[in-house]
């Protein structure tokens, strides 16, 4: 590959206790994309994110980051979790600086000072997340929304090729949440980040994403009606940028689209066949196994 | 409705009442002792069991101010120095090694698999039961006493530190790897500073045990030390020396506890505020 994609996942299975949580997942993400991943609870969203992060290894299949095996967690991926991203014993500034100081030999000595450039950069990042005043505070002195902004700054200082987020705004009240959504969009535009954002909030996903992925275990294939099925990407849309005005959320098309989405993947009663998934995004691809592909009654088999 | 001062779940004692209440049990204990001592002395002026305050002050002067005729040393300070040296060596060694092993066992699954079970079993050995083994193998000098204190405190400290390390959210550990932390950096730069206040808290708790082991070892084989002295003068029923010694040991224990708590609050502001 001349220009490796930021994320390339092919034929990935993840099995827990004999049960497949991810079931032959394929996914490819280009640079600069804001991917939003939604799906019913327990479909394996966090599992997929942990595979990309390297926190867990696939049972089968390959996960590549910029063409290299994902391996274990390292600076090729930044991460913002829903909670516990900050180090309670470090001030806000030191939390943001941590990535830089870890790269500096001897910086563990209690009297070592951060390099002035690093300090300036961290302060600059803190200004950008509008927390310049809080630099000397400890994480427990901040509100939940402020903590998440620090966590984002902390991840950004590494300039990660891919920034992963697992329900980063899940524990926040609706106003703070909307505030941070706008903030994140601005940041994404300015920094040209590649984002992989997991949420269970469809509205949030449609507002933020340039690409919307639906992961779900509610689909059918040729393996028989009662066969256990793990999560698959059942829909993959390209979204037109909404801009940073939250008013768009109140528009009818927006609401209709979300309503439509609820029927793909979120309702156990409505299942599509693997060949009929809405995979309209240009990066989307699907490698089906012979068992999955054969339509009921058909004899032919094979990969398309 | 007025808030009750003392009775019931909703009581809010005022500040001065709080201090008075705190002092009350001490005063009552001293009073009870004084009355009992007086009664016995009225019966038998030579009573040695419950010496009066005057007798004890005389005895304290003897050990704390007057140098011993034979050795030229002031007994109380000499004993205190000897005992605190043993305590410091044993507990200090236990703390440093417990930090090192607790951190590594708590973070590295391989090391945990190797040592966790062993530690649990070792911590079940009653330290006093192996004191004879220590005396036989290490001799009756300092080494055996320090070793007893070490063996009595190290396993508990290590287990507690291991638990504290395991309680650190996985998210933090994964995040540190994405920030470029090596395994060593994770252990000593991210996890160690976080569990240090907890380690000092466990130290406060094991100090009581450490005193127990110190005094037991000194009682059995020593030529100086607070425990040695108490058991020595026991032969002469010298309650007037024993009681002040016990009070002194208690005071020392209290001071160390207070000092550790003070350090925790001063050095780890983030920890105190959070709790
Ligand atoms: N370490 C694990 N061991 C066993 N089972 C697991 C493990 N992690 C996840 N699972 C199972 O995998 C399934 C998917 O979990 P996952 O956390 O990925 O779901 P999710 O889509 O993120 O759900 P939610 O929306 O609730 O966050 C769940 O049924 C869960 O019980
Ligand atoms: Mg999840």
């Amino acid at each position: 590959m001349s220009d490796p994609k930021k994320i390339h996942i092919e034929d990935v299975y993840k099995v827990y206790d004999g049960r497949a949580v991810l079931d032959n997942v394929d996914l490819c993400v280009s640079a600069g994309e804001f991917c939003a991943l939604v799906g019913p609870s327990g479909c394996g969203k966090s599992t997929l994110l942990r595979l990309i992060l390297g926190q867990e290894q696939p049972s089968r299949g390959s996960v590549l980051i910029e063409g290299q095996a994902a391996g274990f967690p390292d600076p090729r991926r930044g991460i913002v979790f829903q909670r516990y991203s900050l180090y309670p014993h470090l001030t806000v500034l030191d939390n943001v600086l941590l990535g830089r100081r870890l790269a500096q030999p001897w910086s563990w000595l209690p009297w070592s000072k951060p390099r002035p450039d690093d300090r300036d950069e961290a302060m600059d990042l803190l200004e950008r997340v509008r927390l310049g005043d809080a630099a000397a505070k400890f994480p427990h002195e901040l509100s939940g929304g402020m903590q998440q902004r620090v966590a984002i700054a902390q991840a950004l200082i590494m300039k990660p090729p891919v920034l992963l987020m697992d329900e980063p705004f899940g524990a926040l009240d609706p106003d703070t949440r909307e505030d941070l959504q706008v903030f994140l969009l601005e940041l994404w535009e300015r920094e040209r980040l590649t984002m992989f954002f997991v949420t269970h909030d469809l509205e949030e996903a449609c507002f933020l994403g340039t690409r919307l992925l639906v992961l779900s275990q509610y689909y059918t294939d040729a393996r028989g009606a009662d066969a256990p099925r793990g999560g698959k990407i059942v829909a993959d849309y390209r979204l037109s940028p909404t801009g940073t005005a939250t008013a768009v959320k109140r528009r009818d098309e927006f609401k209709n689209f979300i309503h439509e989405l609820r029927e793909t993947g979120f309702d156990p009663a409505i299942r599509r066949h693997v060949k009929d998934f809405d995979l309209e995004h240009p990066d989307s691809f699907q490698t089906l196994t012979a068992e999955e592909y054969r339509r009921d009654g058909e004899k032919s088999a094979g990969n398309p | 409705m007025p808030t009750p001062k003392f009775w019931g779940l909703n009581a809010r004692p005022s500040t001065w009442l709080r201090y008075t209440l705190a002092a009350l049990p001490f005063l009552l204990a001293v009073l009870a002792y004084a009355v009992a001592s007086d009664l016995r002395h009225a019966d038998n002026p030579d009573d040695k069991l419950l010496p009066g305050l005057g007798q004890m002050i005389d005895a304290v002067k003897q050990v704390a101010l007057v140098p011993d005729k034979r050795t030229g040393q002031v007994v109380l300070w000499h004993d205190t120095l000897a005992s605190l040296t043993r305590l410091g060596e044993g507990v200090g060694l236990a703390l440093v090694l417990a930090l090192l092993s607790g951190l590594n066992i708590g973070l590295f699954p391989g090391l945990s698999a190797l040592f966790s079970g062993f530690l649990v079993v070792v911590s079940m050995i009653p330290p006093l039961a192996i004191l004879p083994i220590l005396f036989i193998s290490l001799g009756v000098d300092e080494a055996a006493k320090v070793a007893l204190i070490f063996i009595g405190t190290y396993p508990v400290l290590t287990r507690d530190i291991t638990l504290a390390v395991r309680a650190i959210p996985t998210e933090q550990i994964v995040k540190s790897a994405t920030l470029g932390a090596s395994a060593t950096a994770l252990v000593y730069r991210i996890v160690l500073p976080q569990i240090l206040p907890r380690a000092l808290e466990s130290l406060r708790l094991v100090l009581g045990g450490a005193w127990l082991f110190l005094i037991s070892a000194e009682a059995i084989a020593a030529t100086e030390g607070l425990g040695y002295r108490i058991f020595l003068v026991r032969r002469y029923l010298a309650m007037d020396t024993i009681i002040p010694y016990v009070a002194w040991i208690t005071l020392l224990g209290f001071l160390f506890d207070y000092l550790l708590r003070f350090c925790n609050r001063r050095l780890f502001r983030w920890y105190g505020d959070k709790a």
Side-chain angles (χ1 to χ4, degrees):
Chain A
M1 265 186 282
S2 55
D3 177 24
K5 297 287 188 186
K6 288 286 174 180
I7 303 173
H8 186 97
I9 293 177
E10 196 161 337
D11 299 337
V12 159
Y13 292 80
K14 182 68 191 177
V15 180
Y16 284 125
D17 312 322
R19 192 172 69 89
V21 171
L22 295 179
D23 203 336
N24 194 3
V25 170
D26 304 304
L27 172 68
C28 188
V29 177
S30 306
E33 196 89 68
F34 197 132
C35 288
L37 178 67
V38 294
S41 185
C43 67
K45 301 183 293 294
S46 301
T47 305
L48 181 57
L49 179 125
R50 285 197 296 268
L51 291 181
I52 299 172
L53 179 58
Q55 190 180 346
E56 299 203 31
Q57 305 301 317
S59 309
R60 237 184 320 146
S62 71
V63 179
L64 305 179
I65 307 293
E66 296 189 308
Q68 305 285 311
F72 294 110
D74 62 28
R76 286 180 296 160
R77 293 139 285 188
I79 174 75
V80 177
F81 291 107
Q82 183 171 350
R83 295 175 62 194
Y84 304 126
S85 285
L86 297 181
Y87 299 94
H89 65 296
L90 298 177
T91 61
V92 165
L93 180 63
D94 282 333
N95 261 293
V96 177
L97 267 171
L98 187 65
R100 284 300 157 84
R101 300 192 75 179
L102 282 166
Q104 219 177 307
W106 304 111
S107 70
W108 48 271
L109 293 171
W111 55 84
S112 86
K113 291 258 183 304
R115 288 208 310 254
D117 324 352
D118 290 346
R119 216 194 112 87
D120 293 346
E121 192 181 346
M123 276 315 291
D124 187 49
L125 267 172
L126 275 177
E127 296 293 346
R128 260 185 283 164
V129 299
R130 299 194 296 276
L131 280 173
D133 308 335
K137 291 195 169 161
F138 283 101
H140 72 269
E141 296 169 308
L142 306 183
S143 70
M146 290 158 97
Q147 288 186 9
Q148 286 309 77
R149 292 203 304 244
V150 179
I152 293 170
Q154 185 184 41
L156 282 180
I157 202 164
M158 299 299 288
K159 304 200 169 64
V162 181
L163 184 54
L164 308 172
M165 298 191 163
D166 194 354
E167 307 203 12
F169 308 146
L172 307 178
D173 62 88
D175 284 344
T176 317
R177 201 181 167 114
E178 192 154 272
D179 202 37
L180 282 193
Q181 289 169 359
V182 173
F183 162 75
L184 188 64
L185 269 185
E186 288 168 0
L187 207 64
W188 166 75
E189 272 178 356
R190 197 169 32 204
E191 313 279 330
R192 315 212 149 277
L193 299 165
T194 306
M195 303 280 297
F196 191 84
F197 188 101
V198 171
T199 175
H200 63 253
D201 181 343
L202 281 174
E203 198 189 72
E204 180 172 76
C206 295
F207 176 62
L208 289 175
T210 58
R211 180 175 180 184
L212 182 77
L213 299 157
V214 182
L215 187 73
S216 175
Q217 64 276 50
Y218 305 134
Y219 59 89
T220 63
D221 54 25
R223 286 179 290 183
D226 301 325
R229 287 187 182 84
K232 252 185 192 310
I233 292 176
V234 302
D236 187 347
Y237 301 101
R238 176 184 216 161
L239 302 181
S240 47
T242 53
T244 53
T246 54
V248 68
K249 290 187 187 177
R250 256 72 72 186
R251 292 236 298 274
D252 278 344
E253 307 121 69
F254 193 83
K255 287 183 182 164
N256 289 341
F257 181 58
I258 287 175
H259 185 76
E260 208 177 290
L261 266 179
R262 269 190 225 291
E263 316 225 306
T264 44
F266 288 85
D267 188 347
I270 306 176
R271 294 171 186 247
R272 290 196 189 186
H273 192 273
V274 277
K275 279 313 289 174
D276 302 327
F277 288 169
D278 235 335
L279 304 175
E280 63 171 45
H281 193 281
D283 281 340
S284 186
F285 72 109
Q286 197 183 25
T287 59
L288 293 175
T289 61
E291 303 92 77
E292 290 169 338
Y293 176 56
R294 207 164 22 81
R295 279 184 190 259
D296 298 333
E298 283 179 31
K299 282 246 158 62
S300 66
N303 281 3
Chain B
M1 212 167 129
T3 316
K5 287 227 170 295
F6 180 72
W7 297 107
L9 290 172
N10 301 313
R12 293 275 176 281
S14 59
T15 313
W16 71 265
L17 183 61
R18 226 181 271 269
Y19 284 116
T20 319
L21 287 175
L24 204 59
F26 291 100
L27 291 176
L28 284 179
V30 172
L31 193 71
Y33 180 87
V35 169
S37 167
D38 263 8
L39 285 177
R40 284 189 77 99
H41 280 270
D43 236 19
N44 168 16
D46 291 332
D47 183 70
K48 296 201 91 168
L49 217 58
L50 298 181
L53 208 58
Q55 273 169 288
M56 283 198 269
I57 290 174
D58 285 343
V60 169
K61 274 186 189 153
Q62 198 61 38
V63 293
L65 301 176
V66 185
D68 189 72
K69 286 183 211 73
R70 205 157 39 79
T71 57
Q73 287 158 333
V74 180
V75 175
L76 179 64
W77 306 129
H78 186 66
D79 285 342
T80 306
L81 188 68
S83 287
L84 290 189
T85 308
R86 290 168 188 146
L87 196 71
E89 285 172 0
V91 171
L93 200 65
L95 180 65
V96 171
L97 289 186
L99 275 172
L100 289 177
S101 32
L103 280 169
N104 288 291
I105 293 171
L107 279 170
F108 295 102
L111 292 179
S112 169
L114 184 58
F115 290 118
S116 289
F118 185 68
L119 255 174
V120 172
V121 173
V122 166
S123 68
M124 293 302 153
I125 300 175
L128 283 177
I130 57 168
L131 184 56
I133 304 178
L134 295 177
F135 279 139
I136 293 168
S137 53
L138 298 175
V140 292
D141 293 337
E142 298 306 302
K145 300 181 192 73
V146 173
L148 179 69
I149 295 171
F150 175 81
I151 291 169
T153 50
Y154 168 79
V156 189
L157 275 176
T158 307
R159 284 179 72 187
D160 196 52
I161 291 171
T162 309
L163 289 180
V165 171
R166 291 206 180 118
I168 288 181
T170 330
E171 283 91 339
Q172 266 193 33
I173 291 166
V174 171
K175 177 133 196 180
S176 75
T178 68
L179 295 177
S182 63
T184 329
L186 172 67
V187 175
Y188 298 103
R189 297 184 50 188
I190 289 169
V191 179
L192 174 64
Q194 272 190 69
I195 55 116
L196 217 47
R198 164 77 179 266
L200 290 190
E201 252 169 25
S202 346
L203 185 63
R204 282 172 65 194
L205 292 179
V206 300
L207 264 183
W211 277 102
L212 167 72
F213 301 126
L214 172 74
I215 290 171
S216 315
E218 288 180 342
I220 292 171
T223 51
E224 79 252 289
L226 297 166
Y228 161 76
R229 194 70 52 195
I230 292 179
F231 278 81
L232 180 76
V233 301
R234 183 191 60 129
R235 292 183 214 154
Y236 321 115
L237 294 179
M239 289 291 266
D240 52 354
T241 308
I242 296 179
I243 292 172
Y245 257 72
V246 172
W248 175 235
I249 294 172
T250 310
L251 181 68
L252 287 176
F254 176 79
L255 282 179
F256 290 142
D257 190 71
Y258 185 82
L259 207 71
L260 284 172
R261 206 167 48 144
F262 180 80
C263 282
N264 244 357
R265 269 198 309 227
R266 263 304 156 87
L267 296 176
F268 310 108
R269 185 161 72 83
W270 56 273
Y271 186 77
D273 288 4
K274 207 180 52 165

